[in-house]
Amino acid sequence: MIKLKVLFILLAVLILTGCSNTKIETTNTLTEVEQTQTQPTIVELETINGEYRAVWNENYEYDKPLKIENHSEWVDFFNEHPESGMEDNFKKEFTKEFFEDNVLYAYVKSEPSGSILLMTTSVRLQNDILTLYMERIVPEVGTEDMATRICIFGISREKIKNVRTVNVLISEGIQSSSK
């Protein structure tokens, strides 16, 4: 009997409040300004990129993007991370004039094999986040020597003046041997 009364009361409440036939419609209309604020803008930046194998050293600061603001910092960085087996040709590419309008980001990665390559691919800016994209190419058969790979990204100062965060994204690739 109590169950029947409770059921009757619940049914009466539903009918009186109109919940059984109520259709709720919501619309999400954003102004053009609100839409551009909610949708991130991703811009691929023009860069001057390069990569090289440095003399291996266990004391390097690995796996962190390093910002190089001027020619003096570049010379110091390059002297501390010299090219392995070359004659410092890479050092000459970034002159004092280059740094008037640009900065460099360097990414230093330790590899268990000198056969593994690390290549720059692109740089993208999304609001105040800069992402450095690289590809790591691992051969099917490699050597067993430790290696330091360095990727360099030359970017316009004006384009990244509001950057607060720098991320790194490395995709993996496998280099197959040809027969």
Side-chain angles (χ1 to χ4, degrees), residues 115 137-143 173-179:
S115 301
I137 301 171
V138 181
E140 288 180 352
V141 178
T143 60
I174 297 175
Q175 182 180 31
S176 61
S177 58
S178 58
K179 294 182 180 180

Side-chain angles (χ1 to χ4, degrees), residues 95-113:
T95 63
K96 289 180 182 179
E97 291 76 27
F98 171 84
F99 284 99
E100 290 174 4
D101 297 321
N102 302 285
V103 298
L104 291 179
Y105 278 96
Y107 187 78
V108 183
K109 180 146 182 61
S110 176
E111 294 291 359
S113 171

Side-chain angles (χ1 to χ4, degrees), residues 1-13:
M1 184 77 158
I2 294 177
K3 289 182 184 179
L4 189 56
K5 285 182 182 180
V6 171
L7 185 58
F8 179 73
I9 293 171
L10 285 175
L11 186 58
V13 168

Side-chain angles (χ1 to χ4, degrees), residues 4 39 65 81 91 93 96 134 145 155:
L4 189 56
Q39 296 176 359
H81 303 80
K91 179 175 151 182
E93 292 186 31
K96 289 180 182 179
M134 291 167 267
D145 57 327
I155 307 168

Side-chain angles (χ1 to χ4, degrees), residues 83-141:
E83 284 182 286
S84 175
M86 296 185 187
E87 297 181 14
D88 295 345
N89 293 323
F90 195 70
K91 179 175 151 182
K92 297 172 188 165
E93 292 186 31
F94 300 110
T95 63
K96 289 180 182 179
E97 291 76 27
F98 171 84
F99 284 99
E100 290 174 4
D101 297 321
N102 302 285
V103 298
L104 291 179
Y105 278 96
Y107 187 78
V108 183
K109 180 146 182 61
S110 176
E111 294 291 359
S113 171
S115 301
I116 297 173
L117 300 177
L118 187 64
M119 311 287 291
T120 61
T121 55
S122 64
V123 176
R124 294 189 183 129
L125 182 62
Q126 180 178 343
N127 300 328
D128 63 351
I129 300 171
L130 184 70
T131 305
L132 309 174
Y133 290 86
M134 291 167 267
E135 183 176 15
R136 183 174 180 259
I137 301 171
V138 181
E140 288 180 352
V141 178

Side-chain angles (χ1 to χ4, degrees), residues 6-173:
V6 171
L7 185 58
F8 179 73
I9 293 171
L10 285 175
L11 186 58
V13 168
L14 287 174
I15 292 172
L16 292 174
T17 61
C19 289
S20 61
N21 291 324
T22 302
K23 186 174 184 181
I24 300 173
E25 289 186 29
T26 59
T27 58
N28 291 330
T29 55
L30 297 175
T31 66
E32 190 174 318
V33 172
E34 290 171 327
Q35 286 177 352
T36 57
Q37 290 174 347
T38 59
Q39 296 176 359
T41 303
I42 300 173
V43 178
E44 187 154 342
L45 299 179
E46 290 185 31
T47 58
I48 298 172
N49 298 338
E51 54 273 322
Y52 70 96
R53 180 176 176 176
V55 173
W56 191 84
N57 184 329
E58 65 185 38
N59 296 321
Y60 289 154
E61 191 169 358
Y62 287 106
D63 302 318
K64 177 182 172 186
L66 305 169
K67 188 175 185 181
I68 301 170
E69 295 270 358
N70 56 54
H71 186 259
S72 176
E73 288 179 11
W74 167 240
V75 171
D76 290 346
F77 176 86
F78 197 82
N79 288 336
E80 293 167 7
H81 303 80
E83 284 182 286
S84 175
M86 296 185 187
E87 297 181 14
D88 295 345
N89 293 323
F90 195 70
K91 179 175 151 182
K92 297 172 188 165
E93 292 186 31
F94 300 110
T95 63
K96 289 180 182 179
E97 291 76 27
F98 171 84
F99 284 99
E100 290 174 4
D101 297 321
N102 302 285
V103 298
L104 291 179
Y105 278 96
Y107 187 78
V108 183
K109 180 146 182 61
S110 176
E111 294 291 359
S113 171
S115 301
I116 297 173
L117 300 177
L118 187 64
M119 311 287 291
T120 61
T121 55
S122 64
V123 176
R124 294 189 183 129
L125 182 62
Q126 180 178 343
N127 300 328
D128 63 351
I129 300 171
L130 184 70
T131 305
L132 309 174
Y133 290 86
M134 291 167 267
E135 183 176 15
R136 183 174 180 259
I137 301 171
V138 181
E140 288 180 352
V141 178
T143 60
E144 294 184 14
D145 57 327
M146 294 296 292
T148 297
R149 294 290 180 183
I150 298 179
C151 285
I152 302 292
F153 301 86
I155 307 168
S156 166
R157 286 181 192 278
E158 182 65 26
K159 299 282 186 183
I160 62 166
K161 65 183 177 185
N162 296 321
V163 167
R164 296 186 189 274
T165 305
V166 179
N167 293 328
V168 170
L169 185 65
I170 301 174
S171 62
E172 296 284 326

